[in-house]
Amino acid sequence: QVQLVESGGGLVQPGGSLRVSCAASESIFNFNTLSWYRQAPGNQRDNVGSITRGGSTTYMDSVKGRITISRDNDKNTVVLQMNNLKPEDTAVYYCNGLRYGRTYWGKGTQVTVSS
C-alpha cells in the first residue's frame, strides 16, 4: 500500500523558517509528481508547490521566493523548506503524490506561524 507520511510541522515565529518532510513508502521516482498542499480552517486546499519526476518545480505565487521543494532520493523523501514565514502561512500541510493515474495523500502536519 502506498503511503505518504508528513513530519516536521510545528509552531514558528513570524519571519522564521521550518522544514517539513514527506516520506514515501516506495521510491519517489514511481510518482509522476509530488506536491505540497495546505489548508487553513474555512479555506480550500491549495497547491503550494510541486516537483516532477524530472525535478522541475513550480510554486504558488504567494510563496515564491520563500519556499523550496527538494528531494532526498536515498530516503524517498520530499522536503518543503519554508523561510520568512508569515501568519497567513498557518495551515495543515499535506503531501500529495500522483502515481500511475492515482492520487495519494498524507494525513497532514500542522504549521502554525505566531508570536
Side-chain angles (χ1 to χ4, degrees):
Q1 183 178 359
V2 177
Q3 289 186 320
L4 298 171
V5 180
E6 302 93 339
S7 62
L11 173 64
V12 62
Q13 292 187 343
S17 298
L18 199 63
R19 182 183 170 97
V20 181
S21 298
C22 170
S25 57
E26 59 183 63
S27 173
I28 58 175
F29 290 105
N30 289 342
F31 294 87
N32 300 86
T33 306
L34 285 158
S35 302
W36 285 97
Y37 283 73
R38 70 184 185 187
Q39 187 170 22
N43 290 358
Q44 65 182 20
R45 191 173 294 190
D46 292 323
N47 186 328
V48 176
S50 301
I51 186 166
T52 67
R53 181 184 289 125
S56 298
T57 53
T58 56
Y59 301 107
M60 182 169 66
D61 284 345
S62 63
V63 300
K64 280 182 181 177
R66 298 192 296 119
I67 75 161
T68 304
I69 297 176
S70 61
R71 299 182 302 205
D72 185 332
N73 301 333
D74 292 337
K75 296 181 179 179
N76 292 327
T77 297
V78 175
V79 176
L80 175 66
Q81 176 69 44
M82 300 183 284
N83 302 316
N84 190 23
L85 282 161
K86 304 176 181 181
E88 52 263 41
D89 294 318
T90 295
V92 178
Y93 283 71
Y94 296 92
C95 183
N96 167 285
L98 177 61
R99 175 186 179 277
Y100 302 123
R102 292 189 62 181
T103 298
Y104 298 88
W105 290 94
K107 293 183 178 180
T109 186
Q110 177 70 46
V111 172
T112 302
V113 185
S114 174
S115 56

